[in-house]
Amino acid sequence: MNETSVLVARTAAVAATVDRIRAIESRLGVTRESLAAIMAELEALAAQESLFPEAEFPPPPPGEKGSRRYLLHEDPDGRFALYLNALNPGNETRPHDHTTWAVVVAVEGEELNRIYARTERGLEVVREVVVKPGTGIALMPEDIHSIHTQGTGPTRHLHMYGLALERLDQRMAYDPATGAAIPYNANFMQPTVNKPA
């Protein structure tokens, strides 16, 4: 496929996927069950790797930390925001929540997610999930996780949120040793690449 036909196919696939996800949330609400169904829809989209070529969605230059976040879809009211995140190995985040549901699946590459519980002693890791092609993660609004990119190659992962990241001004990061919560900078979450036309 040429670049134009890839764009047309991707736009149609994203729109159809978001329509189905919107219907799942409307029918089932925000539950572990509904997020599992949403994750299945996103995994089917991510499996169409040719729609998300690295040439069009590159990570930062080699050796550079941070990510490039490409906005693929966002409803006019900020709901059902879908991004493609491209990262190099060696990135990690502080433990944080989202205050909205989140589902992450992989087009390419591996990302270790640690999920935490708050205890009297601080944060405790309760499970780990390596997000890779065929294995995603679904997070409820209150879930706390951290991200650690692994391997030797960049990652391209689809991140879908119930509300656009730049609207999540109540997100918190957590000190692993004490469990203390501090605001997670909303500006940090602005997409690094402009909205699609």
Side-chain angles (χ1 to χ4, degrees):
M1 287 193 289
N2 62 35
E3 193 171 306
T4 300
S5 60
V6 169
L7 174 60
V8 170
R10 180 173 61 245
T11 300
V14 166
T17 299
V18 173
D19 282 346
R20 291 191 295 271
I21 288 170
R22 202 183 286 111
I24 290 167
E25 194 205 66
S26 177
R27 187 174 71 251
L28 298 177
V30 179
T31 65
R32 300 280 180 197
E33 177 188 11
S34 66
L35 294 188
I38 288 169
M39 185 162 60
E41 293 289 349
L42 285 176
E43 285 178 339
L45 179 62
Q48 301 175 68
E49 185 177 352
S50 62
L51 298 181
F52 308 100
E54 185 176 355
E56 199 171 339
F57 299 98
E64 184 177 310
K65 296 259 179 149
S67 69
R68 287 196 175 159
R69 181 176 294 106
Y70 300 86
L71 180 63
L72 300 176
H73 176 88
E74 179 185 332
D75 280 6
D77 61 358
R79 300 283 333 275
F80 302 101
L82 176 63
Y83 307 84
L84 186 144
N85 265 17
L87 292 86
N88 289 321
N91 279 279
E92 59 181 47
T93 66
R94 289 182 285 177
H96 61 276
D97 60 24
H98 292 110
T99 69
T100 190
W101 60 263
V103 176
V104 179
V105 300
V107 175
E108 177 185 41
E110 296 188 358
E111 172 186 277
L112 171 65
N113 280 251
R114 292 191 174 113
I115 297 88
Y116 301 85
R118 296 180 77 181
T119 71
E120 292 180 357
R121 298 180 303 279
L123 294 186
E124 177 181 327
V125 176
V126 293
R127 67 187 174 106
E128 294 186 341
V129 176
V130 176
V131 175
K132 58 187 178 182
T135 302
I137 188 168
L139 300 162
M140 292 288 282
E142 67 277 8
D143 287 345
I144 300 169
H145 80 136
S146 61
I147 293 170
H148 313 266
T149 53
Q150 301 181 311
T152 58
T155 63
R156 283 177 293 135
H157 289 185
L158 298 178
H159 290 232
M160 181 137 202
Y161 300 89
L163 186 64
L165 285 169
E166 59 269 28
R167 297 183 182 228
L168 302 180
D169 57 2
Q170 300 299 311
R171 299 174 76 215
M172 303 300 283
Y174 297 88
D175 183 321
T178 66
I182 56 174
Y184 204 46
N185 187 353
N187 292 330
F188 171 76
M189 302 313 297
Q190 292 285 346
T192 52
V193 179
N194 290 336
K195 295 183 180 183

